[in-house]
Amino acid sequence: VKAETQGALEADGFDQRLAALQRLGQATGQDTLAEVVEAFLARGAADLETMHGALARGDGEGVADAAHALCGSSGVLGAAALATACAALEGSARAGDLGSCVARLEAVEQEYRTIGKRLAAACDKR
Amino acid sequence: MEGPIRVVVVDDHFVVRKGVCALVMAAEDIAVVGEGGDGREAVELARRLRPQVILMDLKLPKLGGVEAIQVILAEQPEMGILVLTAYGLEAQILAAVEAGALGYLTKTAEREELLTAIRRVGRGELYLPASLTRQVLTHLHSRPSGVPAEALTAREEEVLRLLTRGRSNQKIAEDLGISEMTVRTHVSHIFGKLDASNRVQAALYALRSGLVLLEDV
């Protein structure tokens, strides 16, 4: 890896954390990165479905709980923009401001798609 | 402390458990010795593995995080609980601290912050981000103060003042010009006299009794 590319990677918590997961897998003899990516995408998709369903029912707490779950997993993965979008959605949903939740949920989905592509690319690159 | 800090990670989300394991793996002084997915497992792992630190979420199935903390600390008051959660849930975080959790961190925390928090809680010290400390203390300050079974000495009061301000044993020792071992002895006596299980409860006594003003924290 060229020095400038390495520098860019080090500045990116997301790539650093994926690398750490890969090292964990190497140390334990498991494909931890692939397992984590699969789990993140599966549960993330379920969380998004839950958010949509809850929003359609006007269930702010349901939206907030699912956003909270996705916020946590994306935060640990270093997906800061997705975590921030989820936190904003959770805040609005818990405050009962369901009107602003529609746009915030769109922002979450957009960030989730971006992260999904980066995760797939990271797995392909190995 | 001999050997690495033994840590158990409890979160119902596989991604979070593995993510935390990956973040601490390279730290030679920290070892993840167990993982659990719900509050009951947290209690069981605490009994079986007796870790120094339990890193746990608050939204857990079967038994909630706050309830699990209460059970664990009732059985092993010396155990360090570090809450790791997403944003929000202030009420639950306050309840966790009141139950005796020594630290709180968001899941978006940087790796170094996570390691620092584990090390501090592993030493029995508080780790609360400054942004939360005032909120926690304001919430808990309003409760009535208890009366200690035995009066604190002047030196113990000095130690308690510094402890309430979040100073580690090492820093207290430096401030007072005494050894860290002596500070530990004072802290142990303070806990005994106040019937406190941990530094949070001791700090709360200091605030409720007026020994330390909230503005000074």
Side-chain angles (χ1 to χ4, degrees), chain B residues 139-214:
Chain B
H139 170 74
L140 299 177
H141 183 39
S142 57
R143 309 295 176 84
S145 64
V147 177
E150 189 183 340
L152 299 181
T153 65
R155 185 58 115 184
E156 287 164 355
E157 286 190 352
E158 280 183 286
V159 170
L160 181 54
R161 280 193 194 95
L162 293 167
L163 178 156
T164 304
R165 293 185 181 116
R167 308 282 274 176
S168 68
N169 286 348
Q170 187 186 344
K171 297 286 183 193
I172 293 172
E174 288 170 12
D175 286 355
L176 299 181
I178 57 180
S179 74
E180 196 174 338
M181 182 66 80
T182 304
V183 173
R184 279 201 210 110
T185 303
H186 283 312
V187 171
S188 171
H189 288 164
I190 291 166
F191 284 8
K193 288 181 178 180
L194 301 182
D195 193 25
S197 306
N198 55 52
R199 297 168 91 92
V200 174
Q201 291 177 359
L204 289 175
Y205 167 81
L207 286 161
R208 290 169 186 161
S209 67
L211 187 63
V212 174
L213 297 176
L214 189 55

Side-chain angles (χ1 to χ4, degrees), chain A residues 17 20-21 23-24 27 30 32 35-36 39-40 43 47 65 68-69 71-73 75-77 83-84 87 90 94, chain B residues 11-23 25-26 57 59 84-89 107-111:
Chain A
R17 293 188 185 203
L21 285 166
R23 286 195 296 274
L24 177 65
Q30 295 171 323
T32 307
E35 288 173 358
V36 165
F40 177 82
R43 183 146 167 185
D47 286 337
D65 286 347
H68 185 85
C71 180
S73 58
V76 168
L77 274 189
T84 301
E90 182 186 353
R94 272 206 217 283
Chain B
D11 196 295
D12 65 330
H13 205 314
F14 176 80
V15 172
V16 174
R17 292 199 303 272
K18 290 302 169 194
V20 170
C21 290
L23 286 174
M25 186 183 66
D57 193 7
K59 287 182 78 71
L84 185 68
T85 188
Y87 293 110
L89 301 178
K107 288 177 180 172
T108 52
E110 295 294 328
R111 176 175 177 273

Side-chain angles (χ1 to χ4, degrees), chain A:
Chain A
V1 182
K2 287 181 182 175
E4 61 269 29
T5 311
Q6 186 64 48
L9 286 178
E10 284 173 0
D12 186 337
F14 179 71
D15 287 316
Q16 277 184 315
R17 293 188 185 203
L18 294 192
L21 285 166
Q22 192 155 1
R23 286 195 296 274
L24 177 65
Q26 287 162 354
T28 57
Q30 295 171 323
D31 196 351
T32 307
L33 177 59
E35 288 173 358
V36 165
V37 169
E38 188 181 339
F40 177 82
L41 294 176
R43 183 146 167 185
D47 286 337
L48 285 170
E49 201 176 311
T50 301
M51 290 178 219
H52 276 291
L55 190 55
R57 293 193 306 276
D59 173 10
E61 285 300 310
V63 174
D65 286 347
H68 185 85
L70 187 55
C71 180
S73 58
S74 53
V76 168
L77 274 189
L82 177 56
T84 301
C86 288
L89 174 59
E90 182 186 353
S92 293
R94 272 206 217 283
D97 181 10
L98 296 184
S100 67
C101 284
V102 176
R104 294 200 187 280
L105 179 50
E106 278 177 20
V108 167
E109 286 191 300
Q110 190 175 335
E111 292 297 341
Y112 178 78
R113 281 194 293 273
T114 301
I115 287 299
K117 284 177 192 164
R118 291 182 69 182
L119 287 172
C123 286
D124 289 345
K125 261 195 285 185
R126 293 180 305 148

